[in-house]
Amino acid sequence: MSALLRGIVAYPITPFTSKGRVDEVLLGKIVDDMVKAGVHAIAPLGSTGVLPYLSDDEREQVAEIVIKRVAGRVPTLVGVSSLTTERTVHHAKHAEKLGASAVMIIPMSYWKLSDAEIITHYETVAKRIAIPIAVYNNPATGGLDLSPDVISRLLKIPNVTMVKESTGDVNRMHRLVQLCGEDVAFYNGSNPLALAAFVAGARGWCTAAPNIIPKLNIELYDAIQRGDVAAARQSFYRQLPFLQFIVAHGLPRAISAALELQGTSVGPLRAPLQALPAERVEELRRILVGLEVIPGE
């Protein structure tokens, strides 16, 4: 099961109606467009999907919409992280019941958790579900940095089989291979590190970019698979300004603005998030024109 996910793992934004409710129709269309574009997996309820800002009911609603719309065409990796272990178990069981291929968990905490608390958290969830679990390390958003040593201990839990590493430090990936062997299933979650991570042996790239540039993302992965490093570099550097922009300005804000520039309104961002200021939208517009995603003036 560790090889369940490969390639471009796409993270759809969660769109809202003008009244602030999840836009089920548009979410289904966004997911369908990603699958038709050729992404290799769909991962609802990530950072781009504003997981921490959704109610439990909304989270379950999003998971159900996405899994039904994907309909088994590609694997689904559902974010189930929550502040408490009990709620994480609840969402993991719900995702499994819906038919998710796997779930992803980032430790979320007000207090800094000890290594023992983190490991027990994952062990507790793992005992309650049978599908694979991906460890998500992103100290910039979760506030906790899982060291390679801790991750290697988590990977000893039977159904914890994957690691999404988002620190932006490729040396973390090399260290994981040293600790866990060549077969460790790690995935890059740092967009500007996509090329280096694939070269380091990442099995996939977890990214919000396919909301806007799925063909370019897939082009990079295909070049890596062919062993064509020159083509991979060319593809990566072409999309790098966009990747840097969405990371610098926040994934929900940037992806929402990019979709708006493409003519798709995804509704208001969930407060306290606010839309990009006009000068940043103009900067983004120039990037998208350069990528031929939208027409120039």
Short mmCIF file of all heavy atoms in Angstrom, two decimals, residues 1-68:
data_model
loop_
_atom_site.label_atom_id
_atom_site.label_comp_id
_atom_site.label_asym_id
_atom_site.label_seq_id
_atom_site.Cartn_x
_atom_site.Cartn_y
_atom_site.Cartn_z
N MET A 1 0.81 -1.21 0.00
CA MET A 1 0.00 0.00 0.00
C MET A 1 0.85 1.27 0.00
O MET A 1 0.37 2.35 -0.27
CB MET A 1 -0.92 0.00 1.23
CG MET A 1 -1.96 -1.10 1.21
SD MET A 1 -3.04 -1.05 -0.22
CE MET A 1 -4.01 0.41 0.17
N SER A 2 2.15 1.13 0.31
CA SER A 2 3.00 2.32 0.35
C SER A 2 3.14 2.95 -1.03
O SER A 2 3.45 4.12 -1.17
CB SER A 2 4.38 1.99 0.91
OG SER A 2 5.06 1.08 0.07
N ALA A 3 2.91 2.14 -2.08
CA ALA A 3 3.03 2.65 -3.44
C ALA A 3 1.68 3.12 -4.00
O ALA A 3 1.54 3.33 -5.19
CB ALA A 3 3.62 1.57 -4.35
N LEU A 4 0.71 3.26 -3.11
CA LEU A 4 -0.64 3.63 -3.53
C LEU A 4 -0.66 4.94 -4.30
O LEU A 4 -1.36 5.08 -5.30
CB LEU A 4 -1.54 3.75 -2.30
CG LEU A 4 -2.98 4.22 -2.52
CD1 LEU A 4 -3.76 3.17 -3.28
CD2 LEU A 4 -3.65 4.52 -1.19
N LEU A 5 0.11 5.92 -3.82
CA LEU A 5 0.11 7.23 -4.44
C LEU A 5 1.42 7.49 -5.17
O LEU A 5 2.49 7.27 -4.61
CB LEU A 5 -0.10 8.32 -3.38
CG LEU A 5 -1.38 8.26 -2.55
CD1 LEU A 5 -1.40 9.39 -1.54
CD2 LEU A 5 -2.61 8.30 -3.43
N ARG A 6 1.30 7.96 -6.38
CA ARG A 6 2.46 8.37 -7.17
C ARG A 6 2.06 9.56 -8.04
O ARG A 6 0.90 9.72 -8.36
CB ARG A 6 2.97 7.24 -8.07
CG ARG A 6 3.66 6.10 -7.32
CD ARG A 6 4.27 5.09 -8.29
NE ARG A 6 4.93 4.00 -7.59
CZ ARG A 6 6.18 4.03 -7.16
NH1 ARG A 6 6.92 5.11 -7.39
NH2 ARG A 6 6.71 3.01 -6.53
N GLY A 7 3.05 10.35 -8.41
CA GLY A 7 2.79 11.42 -9.35
C GLY A 7 2.24 12.69 -8.73
O GLY A 7 2.61 13.07 -7.62
N ILE A 8 1.32 13.32 -9.45
CA ILE A 8 0.77 14.60 -9.03
C ILE A 8 -0.46 14.36 -8.16
O ILE A 8 -1.49 13.88 -8.63
CB ILE A 8 0.41 15.48 -10.24
CG1 ILE A 8 1.63 15.67 -11.15
CG2 ILE A 8 -0.15 16.81 -9.78
CD1 ILE A 8 2.83 16.31 -10.47
N VAL A 9 -0.33 14.72 -6.87
CA VAL A 9 -1.44 14.59 -5.92
C VAL A 9 -2.05 15.99 -5.78
O VAL A 9 -1.46 16.89 -5.19
CB VAL A 9 -0.93 14.07 -4.55
CG1 VAL A 9 -2.11 13.91 -3.59
CG2 VAL A 9 -0.18 12.76 -4.74
N ALA A 10 -3.24 16.17 -6.34
CA ALA A 10 -3.84 17.50 -6.48
C ALA A 10 -4.75 17.85 -5.32
O ALA A 10 -5.58 17.03 -4.90
CB ALA A 10 -4.62 17.57 -7.79
N TYR A 11 -4.62 19.09 -4.83
CA TYR A 11 -5.38 19.58 -3.69
C TYR A 11 -6.40 20.62 -4.14
O TYR A 11 -6.05 21.77 -4.39
CB TYR A 11 -4.43 20.20 -2.66
CG TYR A 11 -3.69 19.17 -1.86
CD1 TYR A 11 -2.72 18.37 -2.46
CD2 TYR A 11 -3.96 18.97 -0.53
CE1 TYR A 11 -2.04 17.40 -1.75
CE2 TYR A 11 -3.29 18.00 0.21
CZ TYR A 11 -2.33 17.22 -0.42
OH TYR A 11 -1.67 16.26 0.29
N PRO A 12 -7.67 20.24 -4.25
CA PRO A 12 -8.68 21.21 -4.70
C PRO A 12 -9.00 22.24 -3.63
O PRO A 12 -9.00 21.94 -2.43
CB PRO A 12 -9.90 20.32 -4.98
CG PRO A 12 -9.72 19.13 -4.10
CD PRO A 12 -8.24 18.90 -4.02
N ILE A 13 -9.26 23.45 -4.08
CA ILE A 13 -9.74 24.49 -3.18
C ILE A 13 -11.18 24.14 -2.78
O ILE A 13 -11.89 23.43 -3.50
CB ILE A 13 -9.69 25.88 -3.86
CG1 ILE A 13 -9.85 26.99 -2.83
CG2 ILE A 13 -10.72 25.99 -4.99
CD1 ILE A 13 -9.53 28.38 -3.39
N THR A 14 -11.59 24.60 -1.61
CA THR A 14 -12.99 24.44 -1.21
C THR A 14 -13.74 25.72 -1.58
O THR A 14 -13.52 26.77 -0.97
CB THR A 14 -13.12 24.20 0.31
OG1 THR A 14 -12.45 22.99 0.66
CG2 THR A 14 -14.60 24.08 0.71
N PRO A 15 -14.61 25.67 -2.60
CA PRO A 15 -15.35 26.87 -3.00
C PRO A 15 -16.58 27.09 -2.13
O PRO A 15 -17.15 26.13 -1.59
CB PRO A 15 -15.76 26.54 -4.44
CG PRO A 15 -15.91 25.05 -4.45
CD PRO A 15 -14.90 24.50 -3.46
N PHE A 16 -16.97 28.34 -2.02
CA PHE A 16 -18.14 28.69 -1.21
C PHE A 16 -19.14 29.48 -2.06
O PHE A 16 -18.76 30.18 -3.01
CB PHE A 16 -17.73 29.52 0.00
CG PHE A 16 -16.84 28.80 0.97
CD1 PHE A 16 -15.48 29.03 0.97
CD2 PHE A 16 -17.37 27.88 1.86
CE1 PHE A 16 -14.64 28.35 1.85
CE2 PHE A 16 -16.55 27.19 2.75
CZ PHE A 16 -15.18 27.43 2.75
N THR A 17 -20.40 29.39 -1.68
CA THR A 17 -21.43 30.20 -2.31
C THR A 17 -21.37 31.61 -1.72
O THR A 17 -20.63 31.87 -0.76
CB THR A 17 -22.83 29.62 -2.05
OG1 THR A 17 -23.12 29.73 -0.64
CG2 THR A 17 -22.91 28.16 -2.46
N SER A 18 -22.16 32.51 -2.27
CA SER A 18 -22.18 33.88 -1.77
C SER A 18 -22.67 33.96 -0.32
O SER A 18 -22.38 34.92 0.40
CB SER A 18 -23.10 34.75 -2.65
OG SER A 18 -24.42 34.23 -2.66
N LYS A 19 -23.38 32.91 0.11
CA LYS A 19 -23.86 32.87 1.49
C LYS A 19 -22.89 32.15 2.43
O LYS A 19 -23.20 31.93 3.60
CB LYS A 19 -25.23 32.20 1.54
CG LYS A 19 -26.32 32.99 0.82
CD LYS A 19 -27.68 32.33 0.94
CE LYS A 19 -28.75 33.17 0.26
NZ LYS A 19 -30.09 32.52 0.37
N GLY A 20 -21.72 31.76 1.90
CA GLY A 20 -20.71 31.15 2.75
C GLY A 20 -20.83 29.66 2.96
O GLY A 20 -20.16 29.09 3.81
N ARG A 21 -21.69 29.01 2.17
CA ARG A 21 -21.83 27.56 2.27
C ARG A 21 -20.93 26.89 1.23
O ARG A 21 -20.58 27.49 0.23
CB ARG A 21 -23.28 27.14 2.04
CG ARG A 21 -24.26 27.72 3.06
CD ARG A 21 -25.64 27.08 2.91
NE ARG A 21 -26.59 27.64 3.88
CZ ARG A 21 -27.43 28.62 3.61
NH1 ARG A 21 -27.45 29.15 2.40
NH2 ARG A 21 -28.25 29.07 4.53
N VAL A 22 -20.55 25.64 1.48
CA VAL A 22 -19.75 24.90 0.51
C VAL A 22 -20.51 24.80 -0.80
O VAL A 22 -21.68 24.40 -0.83
CB VAL A 22 -19.41 23.48 1.04
CG1 VAL A 22 -18.71 22.66 -0.04
CG2 VAL A 22 -18.54 23.57 2.29
N ASP A 23 -19.85 25.19 -1.89
CA ASP A 23 -20.46 25.13 -3.22
C ASP A 23 -20.24 23.72 -3.79
O ASP A 23 -19.21 23.43 -4.39
CB ASP A 23 -19.84 26.19 -4.14
CG ASP A 23 -20.59 26.35 -5.44
OD1 ASP A 23 -21.17 25.35 -5.92
OD2 ASP A 23 -20.57 27.46 -6.02
N GLU A 24 -21.22 22.86 -3.59
CA GLU A 24 -21.08 21.46 -3.96
C GLU A 24 -20.90 21.28 -5.47
O GLU A 24 -20.07 20.47 -5.92
CB GLU A 24 -22.30 20.67 -3.50
CG GLU A 24 -22.49 20.64 -1.99
CD GLU A 24 -23.57 19.67 -1.56
OE1 GLU A 24 -24.10 18.94 -2.42
OE2 GLU A 24 -23.87 19.62 -0.35
N VAL A 25 -21.65 22.03 -6.25
CA VAL A 25 -21.58 21.88 -7.71
C VAL A 25 -20.21 22.28 -8.23
O VAL A 25 -19.58 21.57 -9.02
CB VAL A 25 -22.69 22.72 -8.39
CG1 VAL A 25 -22.52 22.68 -9.91
CG2 VAL A 25 -24.07 22.19 -8.00
N LEU A 26 -19.72 23.43 -7.79
CA LEU A 26 -18.42 23.91 -8.26
C LEU A 26 -17.28 23.00 -7.76
O LEU A 26 -16.34 22.74 -8.51
CB LEU A 26 -18.19 25.35 -7.82
CG LEU A 26 -16.88 25.99 -8.30
CD1 LEU A 26 -16.73 25.88 -9.81
CD2 LEU A 26 -16.81 27.44 -7.86
N LEU A 27 -17.36 22.53 -6.53
CA LEU A 27 -16.33 21.62 -6.03
C LEU A 27 -16.27 20.37 -6.89
O LEU A 27 -15.19 19.90 -7.25
CB LEU A 27 -16.62 21.25 -4.57
CG LEU A 27 -15.66 20.23 -3.93
CD1 LEU A 27 -14.22 20.70 -4.00
CD2 LEU A 27 -16.08 19.94 -2.48
N GLY A 28 -17.42 19.84 -7.24
CA GLY A 28 -17.45 18.67 -8.11
C GLY A 28 -16.82 18.94 -9.45
O GLY A 28 -16.08 18.11 -9.99
N LYS A 29 -17.08 20.12 -10.01
CA LYS A 29 -16.50 20.48 -11.31
C LYS A 29 -14.98 20.63 -11.22
O LYS A 29 -14.26 20.17 -12.10
CB LYS A 29 -17.11 21.77 -11.83
CG LYS A 29 -16.57 22.20 -13.19
CD LYS A 29 -17.16 23.51 -13.65
CE LYS A 29 -16.66 23.87 -15.05
NZ LYS A 29 -15.18 23.96 -15.11
N ILE A 30 -14.50 21.27 -10.15
CA ILE A 30 -13.06 21.44 -9.98
C ILE A 30 -12.36 20.09 -9.90
O ILE A 30 -11.33 19.86 -10.55
CB ILE A 30 -12.78 22.28 -8.71
CG1 ILE A 30 -13.19 23.73 -8.93
CG2 ILE A 30 -11.30 22.20 -8.32
CD1 ILE A 30 -13.19 24.59 -7.68
N VAL A 31 -12.94 19.19 -9.14
CA VAL A 31 -12.38 17.84 -9.01
C VAL A 31 -12.40 17.12 -10.35
O VAL A 31 -11.42 16.48 -10.76
CB VAL A 31 -13.15 17.04 -7.94
CG1 VAL A 31 -12.79 15.56 -7.99
CG2 VAL A 31 -12.87 17.61 -6.56
N ASP A 32 -13.52 17.20 -11.04
CA ASP A 32 -13.65 16.54 -12.34
C ASP A 32 -12.64 17.07 -13.34
O ASP A 32 -12.03 16.30 -14.09
CB ASP A 32 -15.08 16.73 -12.87
CG ASP A 32 -15.53 15.61 -13.79
OD1 ASP A 32 -15.20 14.45 -13.50
OD2 ASP A 32 -16.18 15.90 -14.80
N ASP A 33 -12.44 18.38 -13.35
CA ASP A 33 -11.46 18.99 -14.26
C ASP A 33 -10.05 18.48 -13.96
O ASP A 33 -9.27 18.23 -14.88
CB ASP A 33 -11.50 20.51 -14.14
CG ASP A 33 -12.74 21.13 -14.76
OD1 ASP A 33 -13.45 20.42 -15.50
OD2 ASP A 33 -13.02 22.32 -14.50
N MET A 34 -9.73 18.33 -12.68
CA MET A 34 -8.40 17.83 -12.31
C MET A 34 -8.19 16.39 -12.79
O MET A 34 -7.15 16.06 -13.35
CB MET A 34 -8.23 17.89 -10.79
CG MET A 34 -8.02 19.29 -10.22
SD MET A 34 -7.88 19.20 -8.42
CE MET A 34 -7.25 20.84 -8.06
N VAL A 35 -9.19 15.56 -12.56
CA VAL A 35 -9.08 14.16 -12.97
C VAL A 35 -8.96 14.06 -14.49
O VAL A 35 -8.12 13.33 -15.03
CB VAL A 35 -10.27 13.34 -12.46
CG1 VAL A 35 -10.21 11.91 -13.01
CG2 VAL A 35 -10.29 13.31 -10.93
N LYS A 36 -9.78 14.83 -15.21
CA LYS A 36 -9.73 14.81 -16.67
C LYS A 36 -8.40 15.33 -17.20
O LYS A 36 -7.95 14.93 -18.27
CB LYS A 36 -10.89 15.64 -17.24
CG LYS A 36 -12.25 14.98 -17.07
CD LYS A 36 -13.36 15.87 -17.61
CE LYS A 36 -14.73 15.22 -17.44
NZ LYS A 36 -15.83 16.10 -17.93
N ALA A 37 -7.77 16.24 -16.44
CA ALA A 37 -6.47 16.77 -16.86
C ALA A 37 -5.35 15.75 -16.70
O ALA A 37 -4.27 15.92 -17.26
CB ALA A 37 -6.14 18.03 -16.06
N GLY A 38 -5.61 14.70 -15.90
CA GLY A 38 -4.63 13.63 -15.78
C GLY A 38 -3.86 13.55 -14.48
O GLY A 38 -2.86 12.83 -14.39
N VAL A 39 -4.31 14.28 -13.43
CA VAL A 39 -3.61 14.16 -12.16
C VAL A 39 -3.73 12.73 -11.65
O VAL A 39 -4.63 11.98 -12.04
CB VAL A 39 -4.14 15.16 -11.10
CG1 VAL A 39 -4.01 16.59 -11.61
CG2 VAL A 39 -5.58 14.84 -10.70
N HIS A 40 -2.83 12.35 -10.75
CA HIS A 40 -2.74 10.95 -10.35
C HIS A 40 -3.48 10.64 -9.05
O HIS A 40 -3.65 9.47 -8.71
CB HIS A 40 -1.27 10.56 -10.23
CG HIS A 40 -0.50 10.84 -11.48
ND1 HIS A 40 0.24 12.00 -11.66
CD2 HIS A 40 -0.37 10.13 -12.63
CE1 HIS A 40 0.79 11.98 -12.86
NE2 HIS A 40 0.44 10.87 -13.47
N ALA A 41 -3.88 11.66 -8.31
CA ALA A 41 -4.65 11.48 -7.07
C ALA A 41 -5.28 12.81 -6.69
O ALA A 41 -4.79 13.87 -7.09
CB ALA A 41 -3.77 10.97 -5.94
N ILE A 42 -6.35 12.75 -5.91
CA ILE A 42 -7.05 13.95 -5.43
C ILE A 42 -7.02 13.94 -3.91
O ILE A 42 -7.34 12.93 -3.27
CB ILE A 42 -8.51 13.98 -5.92
CG1 ILE A 42 -8.59 14.01 -7.45
CG2 ILE A 42 -9.24 15.18 -5.32
CD1 ILE A 42 -8.16 15.31 -8.09
N ALA A 43 -6.65 15.10 -3.33
CA ALA A 43 -6.51 15.20 -1.88
C ALA A 43 -7.35 16.35 -1.33
O ALA A 43 -6.87 17.47 -1.19
CB ALA A 43 -5.04 15.38 -1.50
N PRO A 44 -8.62 16.08 -1.01
CA PRO A 44 -9.45 17.14 -0.42
C PRO A 44 -9.05 17.42 1.02
O PRO A 44 -8.43 16.59 1.69
CB PRO A 44 -10.85 16.55 -0.49
CG PRO A 44 -10.63 15.07 -0.38
CD PRO A 44 -9.34 14.81 -1.13
N LEU A 45 -9.42 18.60 1.49
CA LEU A 45 -9.24 18.98 2.88
C LEU A 45 -7.78 19.12 3.28
O LEU A 45 -7.33 18.66 4.33
CB LEU A 45 -9.97 18.01 3.82
CG LEU A 45 -11.49 17.93 3.59
CD1 LEU A 45 -12.11 16.80 4.40
CD2 LEU A 45 -12.15 19.26 3.92
N GLY A 46 -7.03 19.79 2.41
CA GLY A 46 -5.68 20.19 2.74
C GLY A 46 -5.66 21.66 3.09
O GLY A 46 -6.70 22.27 3.36
N SER A 47 -4.48 22.25 3.04
CA SER A 47 -4.36 23.68 3.34
C SER A 47 -5.16 24.51 2.36
O SER A 47 -5.83 25.48 2.74
CB SER A 47 -2.88 24.10 3.30
OG SER A 47 -2.12 23.37 4.24
N THR A 48 -5.11 24.15 1.08
CA THR A 48 -5.86 24.89 0.05
C THR A 48 -7.36 24.75 0.26
O THR A 48 -8.12 25.66 -0.04
CB THR A 48 -5.47 24.37 -1.34
OG1 THR A 48 -4.05 24.31 -1.43
CG2 THR A 48 -6.02 25.27 -2.43
N GLY A 49 -7.77 23.61 0.78
CA GLY A 49 -9.19 23.37 1.05
C GLY A 49 -9.65 23.94 2.37
O GLY A 49 -10.75 23.63 2.82
N VAL A 50 -8.82 24.76 2.99
CA VAL A 50 -9.07 25.46 4.27
C VAL A 50 -9.63 24.54 5.36
O VAL A 50 -10.57 24.89 6.07
CB VAL A 50 -9.95 26.73 4.09
CG1 VAL A 50 -9.21 27.78 3.31
CG2 VAL A 50 -11.29 26.43 3.45
N LEU A 51 -9.03 23.37 5.49
CA LEU A 51 -9.47 22.40 6.49
C LEU A 51 -9.69 22.99 7.88
O LEU A 51 -10.75 22.77 8.49
CB LEU A 51 -8.45 21.25 6.58
CG LEU A 51 -8.61 20.28 7.75
CD1 LEU A 51 -9.85 19.42 7.57
CD2 LEU A 51 -7.38 19.40 7.88
N PRO A 52 -8.77 23.77 8.44
CA PRO A 52 -8.97 24.25 9.82
C PRO A 52 -10.14 25.20 9.99
O PRO A 52 -10.59 25.44 11.12
CB PRO A 52 -7.64 24.96 10.15
CG PRO A 52 -6.66 24.45 9.15
CD PRO A 52 -7.46 24.20 7.92
N TYR A 53 -10.64 25.76 8.88
CA TYR A 53 -11.70 26.76 8.95
C TYR A 53 -13.08 26.17 8.70
O TYR A 53 -14.06 26.91 8.64
CB TYR A 53 -11.43 27.88 7.96
CG TYR A 53 -10.13 28.61 8.20
CD1 TYR A 53 -8.98 28.27 7.50
CD2 TYR A 53 -10.04 29.62 9.16
CE1 TYR A 53 -7.78 28.93 7.72
CE2 TYR A 53 -8.85 30.28 9.40
CZ TYR A 53 -7.71 29.92 8.67
OH TYR A 53 -6.53 30.56 8.92
N LEU A 54 -13.16 24.85 8.54
CA LEU A 54 -14.43 24.20 8.25
C LEU A 54 -14.99 23.54 9.50
O LEU A 54 -14.26 23.03 10.34
CB LEU A 54 -14.25 23.15 7.16
CG LEU A 54 -13.70 23.62 5.81
CD1 LEU A 54 -13.54 22.43 4.86
CD2 LEU A 54 -14.61 24.67 5.19
N SER A 55 -16.31 23.53 9.59
CA SER A 55 -16.97 22.79 10.67
C SER A 55 -16.86 21.29 10.40
O SER A 55 -16.53 20.87 9.28
CB SER A 55 -18.44 23.19 10.77
OG SER A 55 -19.15 22.71 9.63
N ASP A 56 -17.15 20.48 11.39
CA ASP A 56 -17.13 19.03 11.19
C ASP A 56 -18.08 18.63 10.07
O ASP A 56 -17.76 17.78 9.23
CB ASP A 56 -17.51 18.31 12.48
CG ASP A 56 -16.36 18.24 13.47
OD1 ASP A 56 -15.27 18.77 13.16
OD2 ASP A 56 -16.53 17.65 14.56
N ASP A 57 -19.27 19.21 10.07
CA ASP A 57 -20.26 18.87 9.03
C ASP A 57 -19.73 19.25 7.64
O ASP A 57 -19.92 18.50 6.67
CB ASP A 57 -21.58 19.57 9.29
CG ASP A 57 -22.34 18.95 10.46
OD1 ASP A 57 -22.00 17.83 10.88
OD2 ASP A 57 -23.29 19.61 10.97
N GLU A 58 -19.11 20.40 7.53
CA GLU A 58 -18.57 20.83 6.24
C GLU A 58 -17.44 19.92 5.78
O GLU A 58 -17.34 19.59 4.59
CB GLU A 58 -18.08 22.27 6.33
CG GLU A 58 -19.19 23.30 6.42
CD GLU A 58 -18.66 24.69 6.69
OE1 GLU A 58 -17.62 24.84 7.36
OE2 GLU A 58 -19.30 25.66 6.21
N ARG A 59 -16.61 19.51 6.71
CA ARG A 59 -15.52 18.60 6.35
C ARG A 59 -16.07 17.29 5.79
O ARG A 59 -15.58 16.77 4.78
CB ARG A 59 -14.66 18.33 7.58
CG ARG A 59 -13.84 19.53 8.01
CD ARG A 59 -13.20 19.35 9.36
NE ARG A 59 -12.29 18.20 9.39
CZ ARG A 59 -11.27 18.09 10.23
NH1 ARG A 59 -11.02 19.05 11.10
NH2 ARG A 59 -10.51 17.04 10.21
N GLU A 60 -17.07 16.77 6.44
CA GLU A 60 -17.67 15.52 5.98
C GLU A 60 -18.37 15.72 4.64
O GLU A 60 -18.33 14.83 3.76
CB GLU A 60 -18.65 14.99 7.04
CG GLU A 60 -17.94 14.58 8.32
CD GLU A 60 -18.88 14.08 9.40
OE1 GLU A 60 -20.10 14.00 9.13
OE2 GLU A 60 -18.40 13.77 10.51
N GLN A 61 -18.96 16.87 4.46
CA GLN A 61 -19.61 17.20 3.19
C GLN A 61 -18.60 17.24 2.06
O GLN A 61 -18.83 16.65 0.98
CB GLN A 61 -20.31 18.56 3.33
CG GLN A 61 -21.05 19.04 2.10
CD GLN A 61 -21.60 20.45 2.29
OE1 GLN A 61 -21.25 21.15 3.26
NE2 GLN A 61 -22.44 20.89 1.37
N VAL A 62 -17.48 17.92 2.28
CA VAL A 62 -16.44 18.02 1.24
C VAL A 62 -15.88 16.64 0.91
O VAL A 62 -15.73 16.28 -0.27
CB VAL A 62 -15.31 18.97 1.70
CG1 VAL A 62 -14.10 18.85 0.77
CG2 VAL A 62 -15.81 20.40 1.74
N ALA A 63 -15.58 15.85 1.92
CA ALA A 63 -15.03 14.51 1.68
C ALA A 63 -15.99 13.67 0.85
O ALA A 63 -15.58 12.98 -0.10
CB ALA A 63 -14.73 13.82 3.01
N GLU A 64 -17.26 13.74 1.17
CA GLU A 64 -18.26 12.94 0.46
C GLU A 64 -18.39 13.40 -1.00
O GLU A 64 -18.43 12.56 -1.92
CB GLU A 64 -19.61 13.03 1.16
CG GLU A 64 -20.68 12.17 0.50
CD GLU A 64 -21.97 12.12 1.31
OE1 GLU A 64 -22.05 12.77 2.37
OE2 GLU A 64 -22.90 11.41 0.87
N ILE A 65 -18.44 14.70 -1.21
CA ILE A 65 -18.56 15.22 -2.58
C ILE A 65 -17.37 14.77 -3.43
O ILE A 65 -17.54 14.29 -4.56
CB ILE A 65 -18.63 16.76 -2.57
CG1 ILE A 65 -19.92 17.23 -1.93
CG2 ILE A 65 -18.51 17.32 -3.99
CD1 ILE A 65 -19.90 18.70 -1.54
N VAL A 66 -16.18 14.92 -2.89
CA VAL A 66 -14.98 14.61 -3.67
C VAL A 66 -14.88 13.13 -3.96
O VAL A 66 -14.62 12.73 -5.11
CB VAL A 66 -13.72 15.11 -2.93
CG1 VAL A 66 -12.46 14.61 -3.62
CG2 VAL A 66 -13.72 16.63 -2.85
N ILE A 67 -15.07 12.30 -2.97
CA ILE A 67 -14.93 10.85 -3.18
C ILE A 67 -15.98 10.35 -4.17
O ILE A 67 -15.68 9.54 -5.05
CB ILE A 67 -15.02 10.10 -1.84
CG1 ILE A 67 -13.78 10.42 -0.99
CG2 ILE A 67 -15.14 8.60 -2.05
CD1 ILE A 67 -13.87 9.93 0.43
N LYS A 68 -17.20 10.86 -4.06
CA LYS A 68 -18.24 10.46 -5.01
C LYS A 68 -17.91 10.92 -6.43
O LYS A 68 -18.11 10.18 -7.40
CB LYS A 68 -19.60 11.03 -4.58
CG LYS A 68 -20.27 10.25 -3.46
CD LYS A 68 -21.69 10.78 -3.20
CE LYS A 68 -22.40 9.93 -2.16
NZ LYS A 68 -23.78 10.43 -1.90
#
